[in-house]
Amino acid sequence: MTPDTPGPADIERAARRIAGIAVRTPLLASPALTSQAGTPVHLKVETLQPTGSFKIRGAASRIGGLDESSRRAGVVTASTGNHGRAVAHVASTLGIPATVCVSEGVPPGKVTALRRMGCDLLVDGVSQSEALVNAERLVTERGMTLVHPFDDPDVIAGQGTIGSEIHDDLPTVRTVLVPLSGGGLAAGILIALKSRDPSIRVVGVSMRRGAVMAASLERGEPLEMPEFPTLADSLQGGVGLGNRHTFHVVRDLIDEVVLVEEREIWAGMRLALGEHRLVLEGAAAVGIGALLSERVEPAGETVVVCTGSNIEPRHLAELSEELTADTGDGDVDRRD
């Protein structure tokens, strides 16, 4: 970790900075997962954020700290969808110009949502890494401020407010499952929780297809990997060969990393919708999938961080059809 890697005090400052933009989300008890795991399980439902994902916390933390000169020049970011949406929303709220760079692999539903946000949108390149190169070019050419998707102290501190809220609301928590990609979310939560109680077990969960952080941790240094089609598209993208913060925090503090198959991600999405009427995109359901597949054996009070609800419409339709077929609800006359 470097001297400017955020600490607990930075997370406290971020909490004050994001107040009024991001919301404090609740813990939702999950009887179905509690029965499956044999220990109390709660869901941290970041789906209730204004943009449908946790990303608004980091974006508000970074953008909210800019001076007037930087605000006038505008902000730019690269995204697989949710971070860009968060940056566009926060920038619009604060009256700041915003540009979002995405790759051609971002699902069409997320591209459409970004266009509706009113930001300038640049669709170019075949990966998140190439989109980030485009964003960095605009920083050089136009003097814009980069709001990095994960490897930024303010962004990490903003995501860390999730960990603080979890511990405030459930001081007895023993296991926390966190979706793992570039590591901004995991790093923030790790800093927040481990500073309060180092014995809390934090498990990073990713998809098996193209889990760059997991491969980087195994190698001992940041790696580049191709992206593969996956339900957990929000977890795609690299960690950056020049990673300054998240790789080191995750390497030093994470207790375990597990990978889930596509069918297990789908099972997580299905349980969330069927048991809780909770719409989760694939990346948000990896923790539930890990519990259902018994890839993680939690001990004590457990929290699964459910990161976002920005699901592709076709996936929501398929899930609804499956659940309807299972319950026979298709035969119910709802006109009454």
Side-chain angles (χ1 to χ4, degrees), residues 269-294:
M269 297 164 69
R270 178 171 165 154
L271 181 139
L273 185 60
E275 295 292 335
H276 298 290
R277 297 301 183 259
L278 184 63
V279 175
L280 296 185
E281 59 189 274
V286 292
I288 297 177
L291 286 180
L292 292 175
S293 61
E294 299 183 349

Side-chain angles (χ1 to χ4, degrees), residues 65-91:
L66 296 179
D67 59 28
E68 284 304 316
S69 176
S70 297
R71 291 186 179 209
R72 286 193 297 272
V75 297
V76 62
T77 194
S79 175
T80 53
N82 286 337
H83 178 67
R85 195 167 179 171
V87 168
H89 176 83
V90 174

Side-chain angles (χ1 to χ4, degrees), residues 194-320:
K194 295 293 189 177
S195 66
R196 296 189 180 199
D197 183 352
S199 69
I200 296 173
R201 178 180 172 221
V202 180
V203 180
V205 188
S206 193
M207 70 290 185
R208 188 168 295 280
R209 295 180 179 176
V212 183
M213 180 62 86
S216 297
L217 293 171
E218 186 174 350
R219 178 70 66 87
E221 61 183 358
L223 300 175
E224 288 185 339
M225 292 174 58
E227 294 180 4
F228 300 93
T230 174
L231 286 167
D233 54 86
S234 292
L235 299 184
Q236 289 177 322
V239 301
L241 294 180
N243 188 291
R244 298 183 61 240
H245 304 286
T246 61
F247 173 79
H248 306 284
V249 174
V250 174
R251 179 197 63 193
D252 293 346
L253 297 181
I254 200 83
D255 292 287
E256 184 180 357
V257 174
V258 299
L259 305 180
V260 291
E261 303 287 354
E262 296 297 301
R263 66 179 183 278
E264 294 162 350
I265 299 172
W266 186 259
M269 297 164 69
R270 178 171 165 154
L271 181 139
L273 185 60
E275 295 292 335
H276 298 290
R277 297 301 183 259
L278 184 63
V279 175
L280 296 185
E281 59 189 274
V286 292
I288 297 177
L291 286 180
L292 292 175
S293 61
E294 299 183 349
R295 294 186 183 277
V296 175
E297 297 182 6
E301 298 266 12
T302 297
V303 172
V304 181
V305 181
C306 298
T307 47
S309 62
N310 297 315
I311 189 173
E312 285 295 291
R314 64 185 179 89
H315 291 154
L316 181 57
E318 291 170 11
L319 285 168
S320 298

Side-chain angles (χ1 to χ4, degrees), residues 73 75-78 99-102 120-125 128-148:
V75 297
V76 62
T77 194
T99 298
V100 178
C101 302
V102 300
D120 291 332
L121 187 65
L122 175 60
V123 182
D124 183 54
Q128 165 82 341
S129 296
E130 291 187 16
L132 187 56
V133 169
N134 288 329
E136 290 169 340
R137 174 174 53 82
L138 292 179
V139 171
T140 302
E141 293 177 355
R142 303 182 188 177
M144 306 176 83
T145 294
L146 177 66
V147 183
H148 199 282

Side-chain angles (χ1 to χ4, degrees), residues 2-21:
T2 64
D4 58 341
T5 297
D10 299 298
I11 294 174
E12 291 178 8
R13 283 191 287 270
R16 295 191 291 271
R17 193 179 298 139
I18 72 177
I21 300 177

